[in-house]
Amino acid sequence: MAGRKQHFIPQALQRGFVAAKGKKRQVYVFKKGHEPYYSSTEGVAAQRDFYSAPSDEQSLDDKITIYEGAVLAPAIAALREAPTGPIDSHVAAAVVVHLSIRTAFVRGSFSVAATEMLDYFADAMRSDQTARALLEVDTLKSESMLVKLIEEEILLQFDALPESSRNALAKLVHFRAREKFPQMFPGLAAMVLQQFGMLLEKIPEMIVSGHSKALERDLAPVLRVERLKAMNWQIIAAEPSTHFVLPDCLAVGSKTSNFQEIMPYSLLSDDELAGVVMPVCSDKVLVGCFGNPELNPASLNRCFAKCSLDFIISSQADAQTAEAANLIGITVSKYVDSLVEEQAFSAPEKSGSNGESPETKDGVLEPDPGRVPIKFEPSSRMSSKAQATVRKLMSAPELQMGLRTVEAIVVSDNIVRSLRQRGVTLNEHAAQVVKLGTCHTTETPDGVSSQLFITTESVNQVTKGRPQARAAAALIRHQAGRATYYATVVARIPKETLQRQRPQLEAIGLRTAHFFCSHYFGGRLSGGSLVSDEEFAIVDGVYSQVLAGCVQGIASARLHFFEHRDVDVALGLALGHVEQLLCATANACATTCSKIDRWKTSKSIKALQAVSLGEWFELLALDLERFFDSRENLTGDSDLILLGGHIERVLWSFGIVLSMQTAEQLWMEVFAEEQLENMRLMLRG
């Protein structure tokens, strides 16, 4: 039976780094944060019961001891005595793999990484916003924890339902989970933090157990050995008057044969590995790679120290080794930091309070309001004073990205007529929407171009300093803010992504999301988002009136379906009013930026609560703010698809459920009164 003091770096290897030979082999140990000390190899890199406790049966330590005597020690001796030059790849691979996976470094680095990750998770759970990202609450990705949980539970409980119905139900449950998250968060956070605390206590035990089981399975994993056997191996000697140290990770690796970025071998996967270096004694290193190694032996001790976790072993206590020892732990620390940084649950950074785009903060986009022509219709309305007013309003730096895509600013007595003269088809609903101003976009080979339409009356309000001048100014800038939305989205999201074929329901959602998101951007970038209590009361009054009309319109569309059973007409009416409601809500959210609490006691929220949309308002505000704040980092359309789903959420409150029977066939189900009431109860619960 082997003893209880068990070496995770075998003495057979340490003896190649002795400082003095005698009855006891002595080495210098440079431990992180401590002065170097002189010790017998018997007491270095050893721990009581590191591999296994004493047992009447063959233990893991017994197994390792037998392997050392029969295989490892002779192989190390052969490598140490070999002349410089090529070496047998079978011997090299077996030694490197076994030694690297048995060390305390493996346990320690994994423990540090796991502890750091759990600490980071715990910090994320202390904030509503970072917790949402950590738990992937606001994503439709199939790999999201929440999405998986919902889909599995619905499949378990409602397996008899058609797939389209299960999908619609999953969307509903997902929306409610997102809406209720603020109320659920305190209890959920307390539970998760308690679990994290318990897990932190168990980490050392779990890592020891996992490491021991891995060694029990195989002392030299075949796949790792095969990878290394495919390399070309050689012994390289230290330069005269220099020496090599032994890192506690034993071997280091590189993703390239030029060894520009060296990491602990055990932290690299087989596929990443292109080169390996392991010291076998103080004057020789074993090197393997797929080409010819581009290696500077003089720099290796610094690399070995950086890749160590706790200590290095040396045959000398010279100044160069002491300097290298100051670098112990650097690479592992960076590795752990990179694991944390790769996580996608950081809360989005806030933009400036005025909504300024980061691209304009350093003057990258200089204001150039004189570049865009201003047209007055009728032309008799044109005056130098009115032109100066418009140019001044458009000079804000945050609007310049949008203005780069604007072909003209049209000041018109009748915007509906001006649009129709340009060949734009407008139905009655669309005409009502644009009469106070609009940003009319056109797709071009290079992206999107826009024309801004503003009313003569709003320009006169500002020019003549009338009582409504501030609101009129915000309305004018609003259209340039909408142009900025389109310019931002087109610049950030690949054209092929935006134009790809989609299921009909997703396409409707995306088109509508573009529309109401542009209004949110317009509101945030218009300079009118810091309103007084008096102005807020006016906004609340207007918004509540719009809500009342939209609610009545959607309810009428539902009744139209029951009376005429005409899906196309009923759906068209419903979607038109939902779009109007979403645009109005986006504008309302933009009015107070992130200060959503101002709406909680408003007339408008009471109207929304009556149709089970009170909590939905807060969720839409959050989604829009998050989208606005992350606009500089857009790479795909996933956020827009999520926002487009709000169409369905609104329709559920009126007993209208949309689903896709096939990729092309959109299905509309309309609930009777009793079902509608049950649906609203569900959406309130």
Side-chain angles (χ1 to χ4, degrees), residues 233-274:
W233 289 88
Q234 60 182 290
I235 294 290
I236 295 179
E239 296 176 350
S241 73
T242 65
H243 68 99
F244 295 122
V245 301
L246 181 65
D248 61 8
C249 62
L250 298 187
V252 298
S254 173
K255 296 179 181 180
T256 58
S257 59
N258 62 8
F259 293 92
Q260 288 300 302
E261 291 186 28
I262 293 179
M263 290 185 64
Y265 163 78
S266 54
L267 297 184
L268 290 168
S269 69
D270 291 337
D271 291 340
E272 292 177 307
L273 205 59

Side-chain angles (χ1 to χ4, degrees), residues 124-128 131-132 180-190:
M125 286 303 298
R126 299 182 199 283
S127 156
D128 182 329
R132 293 186 82 108
K180 298 295 288 185
F181 190 79
Q183 294 95 307
M184 295 160 53
F185 173 67
L188 179 64

Side-chain angles (χ1 to χ4, degrees), residues 121-122 124-137 145-146 149 177-178 180-197:
F121 289 162
M125 286 303 298
R126 299 182 199 283
S127 156
D128 182 329
Q129 289 302 301
T130 51
R132 293 186 82 108
L134 167 62
L135 300 175
E136 296 183 301
V137 172
M145 289 185 288
L146 181 61
L149 182 65
R178 295 178 63 221
K180 298 295 288 185
F181 190 79
Q183 294 95 307
M184 295 160 53
F185 173 67
L188 179 64
M191 180 186 72
V192 171
L193 289 172
Q194 182 183 32
Q195 294 297 317
F196 280 166

